[in-house]
Amino acid sequence: MSSGSQNIDSQRSRTVAAIAMGNFIEWFEFGLYGYFAVSISTTFFPDKSAGTALISTFMLFGIAFVSRPIGAILFGRYGDRVGRRGALSISIVGMSIATFLIGVIPGNHAIGLLAPALLLLMRLAQGFFAGAEMGGAVTALAEYAPPGQRGRYSGWNGFTQLLAQICAALIGTTLSALLTPESLNSWGWRIPFLIALPLGLVGLYMRTKLAESPEFTHAAHTDATTKSPLRDLLRLHWRPLLKVCGLTVGLTTTTYMLVGFFPSYLVKTVGLTSQQMFTAMLIGLSIAAVFVPIWARLSDTYGRKPFLVGGALSVTLLTFPVFLLASSGGYGPALAACVIAALLLSPLLAVQGVTSAELFPTAVRYTGVSMGISVIISLMGGSTPLILQALVQTTGNTVIPAAYITTAAAISLVAALTLKNNPSTAPIRARSESTSPVSTS
């Protein structure tokens, strides 16, 4: 292997590591909020009943998603006009600071209503920067990958999502084993939130050392960028935007069901201890993480469509059995339910990101991916734990959340069936731009 090839491979490895760090931080934070929802509810809503406090906590979880499309629009414009590296560097700093500050906000007993107000403000900040991070990470991973390996490279996006949840569950398992429930609820839950700041600083350092995306550099040098990415996206590329939205519906609801709702469901509804819940989630997510890189690599050979169709169909058919299994009682069935749910999610996590990136030309890719993902996450991601908890509480039916997830997965199944199944063999710009005009006005 020549020194030039070694340098390129080294640069690509550093790129994957830098982008994966930011993606890890984003999902680590969301995992923390879901895993520690019970502790957060007692800190910020101590005067309410357990069920009402939990719903209030999930409301703050959902409200924060309102700011995601705003971040997607602003950072998408920056990323498509100025470059991917700068946008990703800003997003990782903002996300890390907001997550850290959640860990230091005093509770309701100390500052009253100001406590949940500050929590809401930090959640809005997290949503704003997450709107920039998700689309940017997906775009950059696809653009840095060599032809024929975009699935393999982009699969790191889904893998780090699961890795972040695994780390959050591992920390939760450790804290719940070392601390009493009272200590965990009063101060122990804050520890993992504080970790986000040093992680973010490391990620920022790594990202500032990156070269600009080869695809963006090529577009800039050939005058193939646009002054108005959002306008061109909505005018020229609304069909692929709708496809990304459709694909994201099932992935989003299933993800936030698993990491945002299931932890508290297993504790409050099924009756597991916190330590049992953390252990079950840890095992399930770890098994799924093994399969994400496998599906991603196979998609380079067999195309994305089989994995998107198969994943959405599996979620549609098997979510009801998962909830029946979990609600049957006992640790064993709950563990099996966690493993199955995580496995159902794995093919969607593996290929949805690269599929979204391949649907847009370089000039509007950051904006298109960010908008398609962020709009759906804003509408359905943050609200999913709240809706599922409300369904259980109002109906008394512990299996009813499956109806919501199944409906969402069916929408993604329809979207996946409209895709062409092209293996990852040509440069990404050749596949997307050959059939997609770009305005440079």
Side-chain angles (χ1 to χ4, degrees):
M1 181 182 293
S2 66
S3 60
S5 298
Q6 290 177 334
N7 289 335
I8 292 174
D9 290 341
S10 177
Q11 181 181 357
R12 284 173 172 154
S13 297
R14 291 195 301 270
T15 298
V16 169
I19 295 171
M21 176 64 78
N23 196 52
F24 175 91
I25 291 172
E26 177 189 350
W27 288 95
F28 179 70
E29 181 278 326
F30 282 117
L32 292 179
Y33 199 97
Y35 289 134
F36 292 101
V38 174
S39 299
I40 292 172
S41 68
T42 61
T43 300
F44 292 96
F45 305 101
D47 299 327
K48 298 183 178 181
S49 66
T52 304
L54 198 56
I55 286 181
S56 297
T57 302
F58 284 140
M59 285 182 65
L60 287 184
F61 182 81
I63 289 173
F65 285 73
V66 173
S67 59
R68 286 188 74 123
I70 301 174
I73 293 173
L74 295 179
F75 280 90
R77 177 181 175 86
Y78 183 94
D80 281 329
R81 293 191 62 186
V82 181
R84 319 316 196 191
R85 181 180 61 180
L88 288 170
S89 296
I90 297 171
S91 67
I92 195 172
V93 173
M95 173 67 75
S96 301
I97 292 176
T99 304
F100 171 81
L101 290 177
I102 287 180
V104 300
I105 297 174
N108 184 278
H109 286 310
I111 58 176
L113 293 178
L114 183 58
L118 289 174
L119 178 60
L120 172 60
L121 182 62
M122 291 303 102
R123 289 290 299 154
L124 287 170
Q126 286 179 322
F128 176 79
F129 290 108
E133 176 64 35
M134 185 66 178
V138 168
T139 296
L141 284 171
E143 290 183 347
Y144 275 98
Q149 298 185 47
R150 282 193 302 276
R152 172 191 171 191
Y153 274 67
S154 298
W156 282 97
N157 183 66
F159 177 79
T160 51
Q161 288 184 32
L162 288 175
L163 181 63
Q165 306 306 315
I166 291 168
C167 290
L170 184 60
I171 290 175
T173 302
T174 303
L175 290 175
S176 62
L178 296 177
L179 301 176
T180 64
E182 293 75 18
S183 296
L184 182 66
N185 290 336
S186 63
W187 58 268
W189 68 269
R190 298 179 181 273
I191 295 174
F193 283 85
L194 303 180
I195 298 174
L197 185 58
L199 285 177
L201 294 177
V202 173
L204 173 63
Y205 174 80
M206 295 171 67
R207 286 187 172 181
T208 56
K209 300 298 182 182
L210 292 179
E212 188 50 80
S213 156
E215 301 301 328
F216 180 82
T217 301
H218 173 84
H221 287 168
T222 57
D223 198 28
T225 58
T226 173
K227 296 180 180 179
S228 304
L230 181 60
R231 183 196 65 185
D232 287 356
L233 173 70
L234 298 177
R235 185 166 63 93
L236 301 173
H237 308 287
W238 57 271
R239 287 185 179 86
L241 179 62
L242 288 179
K243 289 183 180 181
V244 172
C245 289
L247 293 173
T248 306
V249 169
L251 174 61
T252 295
T253 53
T254 306
T255 298
Y256 286 97
M257 178 276 290
L258 182 61
V259 303
F261 169 74
F262 225 51
S264 59
Y265 176 82
L266 294 177
V267 174
K268 292 294 185 180
T269 303
V270 179
L272 268 60
T273 66
S274 293
Q275 188 171 1
Q276 286 177 324
M277 176 273 290
F278 282 124
T279 304
M281 293 295 297
L282 177 63
I283 294 173
L285 293 171
S286 298
I287 293 174
V290 173
F291 283 90
V292 167
I294 297 174
W295 307 141
R297 287 192 177 215
L298 288 175
S299 75
D300 283 330
T301 301
Y302 299 104
R304 324 299 181 200
K305 187 173 181 177
F307 300 94
L308 292 171
V309 171
L313 181 62
S314 297
V315 174
T316 302
L317 296 177
L318 297 178
T319 300
F320 268 105
V322 165
F323 272 88
L324 284 170
L325 186 62
S327 62
S328 63
Y331 177 70
L335 171 60
C338 286
V339 171
I340 296 171
L343 284 174
L344 295 177
L345 183 64
S346 63
L348 300 177
L349 276 177
V351 303
Q352 195 268 352
V354 66
T355 303
S356 299
E358 289 174 336
L359 287 172
F360 299 104
T362 304
V364 299
R365 184 172 296 124
Y366 199 131
T367 301
V369 175
S370 296
M371 284 296 297
I373 293 175
S374 293
V375 166
I376 296 303
I377 291 181
S378 177
L379 293 174
M380 306 188 71
S383 64
T384 291
L386 172 63
I387 291 172
L388 300 186
Q389 178 64 29
L391 284 173
V392 172
Q393 191 159 327
T394 56
T395 66
N397 187 331
T398 59
V399 182
I400 194 64
Y404 184 78
I405 304 301
T406 297
T407 302
I411 295 173
S412 289
L413 177 60
V414 173
L417 289 171
T418 67
L419 298 173
K420 295 180 179 179
N421 191 40
N422 297 318
S424 176
T425 55
I428 186 170
R429 59 174 174 265
R431 290 185 55 193
S432 60
E433 294 171 19
S434 61
T435 57
S436 302
V438 176
S439 168
T440 58
S441 60

